[in-house]
Amino acid sequence: MENLDTFLTILYVTIDDLCKLHQLRLPVRRGPAPKLSVSELITLVLFGQWARFPSERAFYRFAERHLKAAFPTWPDHSQLVRQEHACVSLIEQVACLLAEQRPNADEELYHILDATGVPVRHIKRRGGGWLAGAADKGWCSRISSYMGFHVLMAVTSNGFLTGFGFSPASVHDTRLAETFLGARAFPTPRFPSVGPRSLVPYVADRAFAAEALQLHWLHDYRAAVLTQPHSRTKVAEPSPRWRRFMHTIRQVIETVSGKLHLAFRLATDRLHTLVGFRARLAAKVGLHNFCCWLNLQLGRPPTAFADLLDF
């Protein structure tokens, strides 16, 4: 178990090294100069995603009491939020770069592709809400019907999130995967969160089972997506041993999804802006990847977060 100062120092040094290596700088904007450097900002944004802080204001109050000595040029709360939103692309890049720090990446045999539902508003609440036109109604096996976003994730066998993206909740998994795999095959600065293209196959559930699309992804995007056949297709049913194997190797995605929802409060955050949701989602993914990497450095299971940090 790491104490607060040690954990924060390792997090800052790791992020600062990545920012210097990849030449990540704050965007040029009008007005007063930012009080925090890009490394300091991303460190604070990532650290503030722990479920120990029920909200962003709760984290700011905690940081004012305990972290001011480590960050001498401490900004006002509104300044911190504005700088976080201005640097959302940098936060997404760092989140993916932290996953590239994982050891033995060249020995991986597959990645897991799956989606999870993220509510941003009670589904029975009246009115349009803060994110009207962006979030909408969808269905997820974890929470049934909900109002929010559909988050697609690519996860390694030991729990690192190599890329992610999101859409309105009503968008089907295959449509989201089409954009995700296309952005990986043909990188664009508009989608820094998707991460680099995978050189190994993806293992997915039956929601991604579409023969025409799978052939299209393989030929056009060089992305092999392996699934069990859909129940409506006229093919031989896989053997029970094959089904158990597919379910076993996909268990890690449930663990990762649970960590994001519970350990980093993805299920309870209620964001009012689209850029705010982007920044928070990227920060949670970045903190998850850092904690996995730190656990491996300490000789612990990568997703053992409960006793990693002593507040």
Side-chain angles (χ1 to χ4, degrees):
M1 181 179 290
E2 299 294 329
N3 62 49
L4 176 62
D5 292 338
T6 303
F7 182 89
L8 202 61
T9 301
I10 299 173
L11 177 60
Y12 172 78
V13 171
T14 304
I15 292 175
D16 190 54
D17 289 344
L18 289 175
C19 290
K20 291 177 180 177
L21 179 63
H22 296 274
Q23 300 180 354
L24 303 181
R25 298 183 177 88
L26 293 172
V28 178
R29 300 173 64 88
R30 293 182 179 181
K35 292 187 175 182
L36 297 173
S37 68
V38 62
S39 304
E40 292 173 328
L41 172 69
I42 297 177
T43 298
L44 285 172
V45 173
L46 265 63
F47 184 73
Q49 304 311 309
W50 283 104
R52 183 227 187 267
F53 312 113
S55 66
E56 186 180 80
R57 289 189 177 275
F59 166 69
Y60 188 83
R61 290 192 295 268
F62 172 88
E64 273 198 314
R65 291 194 300 268
H66 302 285
L67 304 182
K68 265 193 170 182
F71 300 91
T73 56
W74 186 253
D76 183 73
H77 179 245
S78 60
Q79 292 175 307
L80 180 63
V81 173
R82 286 197 301 270
Q83 194 174 355
E84 173 188 350
H85 290 180
C87 298
V88 60
S89 294
L90 297 178
I91 300 172
E92 290 174 336
Q93 289 181 58
V94 169
C96 294
L97 289 173
L98 285 168
E100 295 181 24
Q101 304 292 105
R102 65 190 186 277
N104 304 322
D106 55 342
E107 299 178 7
E108 294 168 352
L109 300 178
Y110 59 87
H111 289 175
I112 302 99
L113 193 67
D114 203 0
T116 183
V118 180
V120 296
R121 192 170 187 266
H122 196 284
I123 191 171
K124 295 185 178 180
R125 188 175 177 181
R126 293 182 179 180
W130 293 98
L131 291 167
D136 61 6
K137 294 181 180 180
W139 189 88
C140 172
S141 59
R142 184 180 60 87
I143 53 177
S144 188
S145 298
Y146 70 100
M147 170 72 76
F149 293 107
H150 207 44
V151 177
L152 183 68
M153 302 176 290
V155 180
T156 67
S157 58
N158 54 356
F160 283 88
L161 258 157
T162 62
F164 60 98
F166 68 95
S167 69
S170 60
V171 175
H172 193 267
D173 292 359
T174 52
R175 291 182 58 193
L176 189 52
E178 168 70 20
T179 304
F180 182 84
L181 297 175
R184 279 194 156 187
F186 305 101
T188 170
R190 293 180 56 201
F191 303 116
S193 67
V194 298
R197 186 175 67 178
S198 172
L199 301 179
V200 296
Y202 298 96
V203 176
D205 61 15
R206 286 181 174 177
F208 298 87
E211 184 178 353
L213 280 175
Q214 287 173 278
L215 290 174
H216 158 59
W217 294 334
L218 179 62
H219 293 156
D220 297 338
Y221 301 153
R222 299 294 186 267
V225 181
L226 309 179
T227 69
Q228 296 187 52
H230 201 280
S231 57
R232 293 193 296 268
T233 58
K234 296 180 179 180
V235 297
E237 185 70 16
S239 66
R241 183 178 180 182
W242 168 254
R243 292 200 301 269
R244 285 196 300 270
F245 171 73
M246 292 289 283
H247 291 318
T248 299
I249 63 178
R250 291 191 65 256
Q251 283 302 309
V252 66
I253 195 73
E254 305 299 337
T255 302
V256 171
S257 178
K259 297 299 181 183
L260 292 176
H261 285 294
L262 302 177
F264 305 134
R265 68 171 196 277
L266 181 60
T268 57
D269 270 354
R270 297 294 182 262
L271 284 308
H272 293 172
T273 63
L274 193 60
V275 67
F277 182 83
R278 278 183 62 192
R280 297 288 185 83
L281 177 61
K284 296 175 197 304
V285 171
L287 182 59
H288 172 90
N289 286 334
F290 172 76
C291 290
C292 288
W293 172 83
L294 183 58
N295 272 328
L296 291 178
Q297 300 302 308
L298 298 174
R300 292 158 44 91
T303 55
F305 297 168
D307 58 346
L308 176 60
L309 177 60
D310 181 15
F311 282 98

